[in-house]
Structure formats: C-alpha cells, structure tokens
Amino acid sequence: MVPENSKRKWLVPDQVPVGPPPHPHQTNPKGLILAGDIGGTKTNLALFQVVDNHLITLKEHNYRTKDFDSFIAMARDFLTDMEKPDRTCLGVAGPVVQGRVHGTNFPWDLDTRELSHQLQWSPIFLINDMEANAYGLSLLAPSEFEPLQKGSGMAGNAVLMSPGTGLGEAGLYWDGTTYLPFATEGGHADFSPRKGLDIDLWHYLHKKYGHVSWERVLCGKGIHDLYEFLGTSGKFPESQEVSARFSLEDPAAVITREAMAGNDDLCRETLMLFIRYTAIEASQLALKFKAMGGVYLGGGIAPKILPAIQRDTFHAHFLGSGRMDELLENIPIKVILNERTALLGAARYAATH
C-alpha cells in the first residue's frame, strides 16, 4: 500500500537537520531504489523512484522480522521478477562494520557482498537504522514533529534517540554548513542512577541481567521490567486482571495502555518512571554531543505515549545537571511523529551516495 504522502523532496530548508546536498552525478534519476528499515520486531520495505530530487513511493509493505529467516527471503517476497532495484540501502538495528552486521535483537547476518551475489543487485548499502533515521529527518515536514522544549534555535550538533524494541542513538555533526549523520551504540552505555530509587533499580536489573545499560531500561522489555521492579516495592499492588493479559499481548503495550487510560496505579507509575528516564538519558546524550541543534526522540514508543508526557515535568527531568542546566535550557527537544523516517532516510542515502 502506497501512503497518501508518497512524494518527498530531499532538498529542504535548514530548520531541521539535513545531510550533505546530493551531487548531480550521485543521484539516480531514472532508477529504482529499494529501501529497508530492519528492526527486531518489524521490517518496513519500500520501492522508490527518484524524479527531480523527489523520492516517489511506488510500493511499500511492513513485515514481522522473525517471520523470515533472512532478508533475501523477505526481499524476494516483496519484489516481483520485473522489479530489480538499481540501488539498495538497508537501515539495520545493529552495528555495521565494513559492510557487515548481525542484528542486535534478531538473528539475521547481513553482508553487502553476499547480498549482492545472491540477489544480483548492486550497489547495496548497509547503514545503522539510527543513521537512516537521521538522514530521514530532512524529509519531514514541520507538522511531523511535536515539540517538547522550544530551545534557542542555535546552530550546532544534534542527536537522535529512539526507544523501541531496543534503544537506538545517533548523532548529527554540524560542520557549519550542513548536518552529517553518524551511528553510535550509545544505548548500550551504562545506566547511571541519580537517586536512591535508581540505585535500587540498578541492583534489580544487575541481578537479572548482569550489565545494566540504558537499553535495559528504555525499551519495550524495559517497561515490563520497570513494572515488575515497582511491583516488588509493595506500594502499588499488581492487578491480576492486568497481569493476565501479558500472556496474550505485549506487556509493554498493556502497561502503557492502562497507564494512559488511568486504570491502574502500578501501570501509571511505571510509565511515569519510563518518561523520567527518557528525559534523563536525552539530557546526557545532549551534553555528550553538545547538541545545540536539538534532541530528536523517535522509535515506536515516544509518539504513542505523547499524551502522557507532561512538558513541565519532562523539562524538569531533562535538567538536573548542575552547572550545565543553562545550556540544556537552550536545546530544542522534538518527538518524531512519522514512523517511516528511517525508511525515507535509507532511500535518501541510496539516492545521494
């Protein structure tokens, strides 16, 4: 199914991060581009055509990643024999090293040379899914962002943070003229407590997992772990009706839905704690990259819980870094509303590299 807004221009004003402008000889004006956003839970594939610096969506499909044992099998399901892409770019949830990647939360191994050999396509690019998200920001309209903090509008680096199946993080380096996206694995850095409750959580997760990263807290599974952690305190009795649904639905979806409906105190406290930690890690990421250009929150969770995010409370948790609070006050924070951002970014990367 092709979305209504199937035409995206990649040369846009500089009010949102944008990668280097495409060189005339680097574009693929008449060819087909296959773009993929490959995650632990779902994979989105789309076939694009480039016309006058616009990406035109020809077809698109969403898959459950674990329904396929390889990308090759999925690609052959998506494309007909007559649809051979001239360029392919896949944004993958995992660290890409020299054209190879093993999925962080799914069992695929991807190698550009092996893919080209098996599929008889060339070139094929593999980039981190967060890098693809960063490239996609420039293709979004202002209405596809929800501001949480206005900031000062200064030029500078920007960062992207996406809680979902895992926690992805990326940076956009400001070179004085444009933004240059790059991948990180910052979501796997150590979770850092601020107060006693956080220390108790660290001990709880350390006993369960060993290493406690930010990804252990800020992801779908993390929401369930926060729920169980708070349940051990005895302050918020667990509802048997809610817990019974965990075997039938994704626990994180049940918890967030009950929390936003105001039906369950334990679910509500879980979601508030998740939002607090999202603000804290966003603050730490902003400081590490001096992200005066903005903090962008993407992924599958942030847009869904927007009604539960109280701006003033989020702002208060985003601060708390002592002498650096004045700097943090000047950083804009925006939630990305378009779930196709990584897919568009992968297509843009293929068209301009």
Side-chain angles (χ1 to χ4, degrees), residues 72-86:
I72 292 173
M74 184 182 289
R76 287 174 173 161
D77 180 84
F78 178 65
L79 297 174
T80 69
D81 292 339
M82 301 300 294
E83 295 170 334
K84 180 179 179 181
D86 297 275

Side-chain angles (χ1 to χ4, degrees), residues 61-96:
H61 192 75
N62 299 335
Y63 293 95
R64 280 172 43 90
T65 304
K66 294 178 182 178
D67 286 348
F68 293 82
D69 59 8
S70 69
F71 169 75
I72 292 173
M74 184 182 289
R76 287 174 173 161
D77 180 84
F78 178 65
L79 297 174
T80 69
D81 292 339
M82 301 300 294
E83 295 170 334
K84 180 179 179 181
D86 297 275
R87 296 185 181 203
T88 300
C89 181
L90 307 176
V92 186
V96 180

Side-chain angles (χ1 to χ4, degrees), residues 240-296:
Q240 295 302 312
E241 182 182 350
V242 170
S243 60
R245 296 183 209 161
F246 292 168
S247 61
L248 304 173
E249 299 180 62
D250 174 32
V254 175
I255 293 165
T256 54
R257 184 173 64 244
E258 292 298 310
M260 293 172 67
N263 294 334
D264 185 271
D265 289 342
L266 179 54
C267 291
R268 178 178 54 81
E269 289 300 317
T270 298
L271 186 57
M272 292 304 102
L273 190 57
F274 180 86
I275 292 170
R276 173 175 173 261
Y277 288 140
T278 300
I280 292 172
E281 172 59 356
S283 169
Q284 295 186 7
L285 191 61
L287 289 175
K288 289 177 185 295
F289 290 91
K290 194 183 176 187
M292 303 307 298
V295 173
Y296 291 83

Side-chain angles (χ1 to χ4, degrees), residues 19-266:
H23 189 280
H25 299 298
Q26 291 179 314
T27 59
N28 193 26
K30 295 183 180 180
L32 297 178
I33 289 176
L34 175 65
D37 174 20
I38 302 175
T41 302
K42 64 180 181 178
T43 292
N44 301 332
L45 296 181
L47 191 65
F48 294 89
Q49 181 116 37
V50 179
V51 180
D52 296 331
N53 283 352
H54 287 78
L55 290 167
I56 310 298
T57 308
L58 302 180
K59 61 186 291 189
E60 184 172 343
H61 192 75
N62 299 335
Y63 293 95
R64 280 172 43 90
T65 304
K66 294 178 182 178
D67 286 348
F68 293 82
D69 59 8
S70 69
F71 169 75
I72 292 173
M74 184 182 289
R76 287 174 173 161
D77 180 84
F78 178 65
L79 297 174
T80 69
D81 292 339
M82 301 300 294
E83 295 170 334
K84 180 179 179 181
D86 297 275
R87 296 185 181 203
T88 300
C89 181
L90 307 176
V92 186
V96 180
V97 179
Q98 294 183 331
R100 296 188 296 271
V101 61
H102 177 78
T104 301
N105 292 303
F106 59 98
W108 289 2
D109 287 304
L110 298 170
D111 183 308
T112 53
R113 285 178 292 185
E114 180 65 20
L115 290 174
S116 293
H117 174 71
Q118 292 288 333
L119 295 168
Q120 296 297 298
W121 304 340
S122 183
I124 297 177
F125 302 102
L126 291 180
I127 62 176
N128 178 263
D129 62 330
M130 293 303 297
E131 186 178 359
N133 264 288
Y135 273 102
L137 290 179
S138 65
L139 296 168
L140 304 186
S143 61
E144 293 174 299
F145 299 96
E146 178 67 28
L148 298 183
Q149 178 171 296
K150 183 177 180 180
S152 64
M154 296 181 189
N157 300 332
V159 292
L160 178 60
M161 172 180 155
S162 295
T165 304
L167 175 64
E169 297 182 347
L172 297 99
Y173 168 65
W174 173 250
D175 70 357
T177 302
T178 190
Y179 284 90
L180 306 173
F182 60 91
T184 81
E185 291 298 329
H188 298 283
D190 287 10
F191 168 69
S192 49
R194 274 188 177 179
K195 60 182 184 180
L197 176 69
D198 309 338
I199 294 172
D200 292 341
L201 175 62
W202 184 91
H203 282 291
Y204 176 85
L205 294 176
H206 178 66
K207 184 177 180 180
K208 189 171 185 177
Y209 296 114
H211 178 244
V212 184
S213 67
W214 274 107
E215 181 171 273
R216 290 294 186 193
V217 178
L218 296 178
C219 67
K221 180 65 169 63
I223 291 176
H224 192 195
D225 281 334
L226 290 176
Y227 174 89
E228 293 185 330
F229 163 70
L230 290 174
T232 63
S233 70
K235 295 180 181 178
F236 309 100
E238 182 177 13
S239 164
Q240 295 302 312
E241 182 182 350
V242 170
S243 60
R245 296 183 209 161
F246 292 168
S247 61
L248 304 173
E249 299 180 62
D250 174 32
V254 175
I255 293 165
T256 54
R257 184 173 64 244
E258 292 298 310
M260 293 172 67
N263 294 334
D264 185 271
D265 289 342
L266 179 54

